[in-house]
Amino acid sequence: AEVLPVVEEAGTWDGELVGRRADGSPITQRVSLAALPDGGLVCVNLDLTARERTKRRLAETRELVERLMTADDRASAIGLTIDAITDIVDRPLAGYWTAEEAAGRLAPVEVSTQAHETVDSVPVFRSGESLAWDTFETGTPSYYSDLAAEPGTYNEGTTMGSEFIVPVGDDGVLIVGSLQAEDVPSEDREVILIIARHLQTALRLSDRRRSLRTARERVEAEREQLERVIDTVPQLIFAKNFDGEFILANEAVAEAD
């Protein structure tokens, strides 16, 4: 009702409207209206669903990044990522495998609930025995649109139809799959790549924080050990600052006072 008066006055109108599909779900459209000399209207509609989905995904990915960068540990970061693949990209078949290069294998860390329900057991991918290991070694993401036609699959009788495997640096691989062939489109793969890059950063930060915690704990343990040793010797051991104040003293000094 608010648009038609504008068309009557200006002859045209262009803007965005939210309509309803037959099933009742909302749909955002770009609508262009033009008045005809005989009183009719020309209406052109452009479905903006893909654009709105992209905006939503980017917003949710930004929120994910904030959570990833403050994750308590590696397991938390990986868990957040698997949940994001399921929720943001709507890909419920996902998992993360970490590299154990000394053993020449990729070991599962976490897989989504539906992935657990889909496979009999979560596999360990060994060197030279799977597409996952091959992709990890190349360091380049690989999309297998039809696994049934791919040589070198881990399980020749796999129920998976298509699979996107993304190396996460030298740490491991993120795998997102579908039961259907050619069912991980490019727009989904782009979001998965963005998430994988942020996961790689989060894992590095987590490793650094763990190293710092370990170093602090080691220094604290050494300090406590030194204090115990100092307190056991009978000699007077102490240190003072420039103002003559004690900053260190063993029990012998305390007893002498």
Side-chain angles (χ1 to χ4, degrees), residues 169-186:
D170 57 4
D171 189 86
V173 293
L174 177 65
I175 303 179
V176 181
S178 170
L179 297 177
Q180 307 298 320
E182 301 182 0
D183 193 38
V184 187
S186 60

Side-chain angles (χ1 to χ4, degrees), residues 32-55:
S32 296
L33 297 173
L36 296 175
D38 61 3
L41 284 175
V42 173
C43 178
V44 178
N45 288 10
L46 177 63
D47 187 349
L48 299 179
T49 301
R51 189 200 69 177
E52 293 300 305
R53 181 173 61 246
T54 298
K55 288 172 60 178

Side-chain angles (χ1 to χ4, degrees), residues 68-86:
L68 281 175
M69 297 309 138
T70 57
D72 292 334
D73 49 35
R74 291 173 57 86
S76 298
I78 293 170
L80 286 170
T81 299
I82 300 304
D83 290 344
I85 297 296
T86 300

